[in-house]
Amino acid sequence: MSAAAARAPRVILAEDDPHISTPLLRALRREGYDVRHVVDGPAALAGGLSGTADLLLLDLGLPGMDGLDVCRTLRARGADLPVLVLTARTAEPDLVLGLDAGADDYVAKPFRLAELLARIRVQLRRTGADGDIVTVGRITVDNSSRRVLVDGVPGDVGLTPKEYELLLLLVRRAGTVVSREVIMREVWRTEWLGATKTLDMHVSTLRRKLGPAGAQVTTVRGVGLRLDSEA
């Protein structure tokens, strides 16, 4: 990835329930976030004050220090990173307390993953930490406008929605191999059953539309695809 590439947004997940944290960590990392997991209030506070995070996902019922106290202390000490509260306390007074303590938004448990991810994107976009523009070698993807540039040339290369989603997935995981199973699940929302004609056709078309930069899309035989920074 080039020096101009946007780094992965850094998220702290403060959640002590493994039934929630385990699948959520997997989903956040799949979306391309750099996630640090902590399980108590003092660790959440330390992470929030470190200046190394772009967003704090904060459970209110943490051991050692309540999430509300974490939030109040962060704001009292001048930390301005977005705080998105995860809470089972959905009564209006509890939500008002959270917002008054300095939380930027909240998601009620049990939550829908799609809604949580959308709220995360809103908060990161507000601070400019969403990583919407990423450059890998000759390819730039601006996810806020869904534009793809090659060698910085304005305008897109005419990708279909599936071709775009495939490229975005590879860009977010540039330099690492993305398995066919993951690609079929994330782009086509289906399980991989061994047949890859659809994927192979899209890869071929994607490479052609990217021109010389299409050679950055490398097939790792028997495994999947990798987006390299150089052809």
Side-chain angles (χ1 to χ4, degrees):
M1 193 173 294
S2 74
R7 62 168 173 76
R10 297 168 298 193
V11 176
I12 296 174
L13 172 61
E15 171 60 68
D16 64 324
D17 184 346
H19 293 97
I20 295 174
S21 63
T22 299
L24 186 50
L25 280 167
R26 188 162 53 243
L28 290 169
R29 287 168 178 156
R30 189 173 63 233
E31 288 295 310
Y33 296 116
D34 178 359
V35 189
R36 174 187 170 195
H37 179 214
V38 299
V39 297
D40 59 46
L45 177 61
L49 292 173
S50 69
T52 61
D54 299 308
L55 175 77
L56 173 61
L57 283 177
L58 180 64
D59 176 36
L60 291 187
L62 292 172
M65 187 178 191
D66 184 87
L68 287 176
D69 289 332
V70 170
C71 201
R72 290 190 187 100
T73 305
L74 284 173
R75 298 311 185 215
R77 296 190 185 180
D80 60 356
L81 83 163
V83 176
L84 181 54
V85 165
L86 306 176
T87 179
R89 309 174 193 174
T90 55
E92 185 175 349
D94 291 318
L95 299 179
V96 170
L97 277 175
L99 295 173
D100 284 346
D104 295 277
D105 198 359
Y106 68 89
V107 175
K109 298 179 182 178
F111 51 80
R112 293 182 303 148
L113 179 60
E115 177 188 358
L116 176 60
L117 292 175
R119 290 177 181 268
I120 289 172
R121 288 192 294 269
V122 167
Q123 293 302 321
L124 291 174
R125 192 174 301 122
R126 180 174 63 82
T127 60
D130 55 354
D132 268 346
I133 301 178
V134 183
T135 298
V136 181
R138 303 174 69 176
I139 301 168
T140 297
V141 176
D142 182 350
N143 196 38
S144 62
S145 62
R146 295 181 71 88
R147 295 173 66 207
V148 177
L149 290 73
V150 176
D151 294 329
V153 177
D156 61 49
V157 293
L159 301 186
T160 66
K162 290 301 182 187
E163 290 163 358
Y164 177 83
E165 289 181 35
L166 172 59
L167 180 60
L168 181 62
L169 177 63
L170 295 176
V171 162
R172 284 177 168 169
R173 304 191 187 184
T176 63
V177 179
V178 185
S179 71
R180 290 177 178 267
E181 292 90 338
V182 169
I183 292 170
M184 294 306 295
R185 184 175 65 244
E186 296 301 313
V187 178
W188 277 272
R189 311 294 191 265
T190 187
E191 293 300 317
W192 181 60
L193 300 176
T196 60
K197 287 184 178 180
T198 296
L199 174 57
D200 292 340
M201 178 186 68
H202 280 76
V203 171
S204 177
T205 306
L206 175 62
R207 285 184 177 131
R208 176 176 56 80
K209 290 182 177 181
L210 290 172
Q216 291 179 222
V217 181
T218 301
T219 298
V220 181
R221 190 174 299 277
V223 182
L225 300 172
R226 182 184 67 238
L227 185 67
D228 295 323
S229 59
E230 296 181 359

